[in-house]
Amino acid sequence: MCAVRRRIDQIYMDKADGKISEDFWQRKTAEWQLEEQQVLIAMQGLEQASPDMLLTAKRTLELANKAIFCMLRRIRLNKANC
């Protein structure tokens, strides 16, 4: 989010200094404002996560954790058998 705002601020300074055209200013500002809105919408979606989504995420992390331990145990067993 901050990166988008910094780009808008920088391009404004470039416009004020006459380094870029009005057309370029309008086009880029519109693009970055749209990008900023998309980021805000995505952030709101994360804030409104349902309990089911959180439970699914928790279970996924638990399974990943178990998979790591199983893999490490298998590696140790393979080394012991060599």
Side-chain angles (χ1 to χ4, degrees):
M1 181 73 90
C2 291
V4 173
R5 289 186 179 158
R6 274 195 304 270
R7 284 188 280 179
I8 292 172
D9 291 344
Q10 180 58 51
I11 200 169
Y12 175 79
M13 295 302 295
D14 290 344
K15 181 184 179 301
D17 292 342
K19 295 178 182 178
I20 60 171
S21 68
E22 179 68 25
D23 180 57
F24 184 80
W25 157 256
Q26 293 293 331
R27 186 169 42 88
K28 284 301 191 182
T29 301
E31 286 175 19
W32 291 333
Q33 286 174 342
L34 177 62
E35 184 178 340
E36 185 178 33
Q37 288 173 349
Q38 290 170 338
V39 168
L40 287 172
I41 289 169
M43 288 172 60
Q44 288 172 350
L46 292 173
E47 290 172 355
Q48 298 171 359
S50 71
D52 288 341
M53 290 173 65
L54 296 175
L55 184 58
T56 299
K58 182 180 180 218
R59 286 181 180 158
T60 302
L61 291 173
E62 288 171 351
L63 287 173
N65 194 29
K66 286 181 185 178
I68 290 170
F69 283 111
C70 289
M71 182 184 72
L72 292 173
R73 184 175 49 205
R74 186 170 197 149
I75 290 170
R76 276 185 262 146
L77 289 173
N78 285 343
K79 285 183 181 180
N81 290 332
C82 290

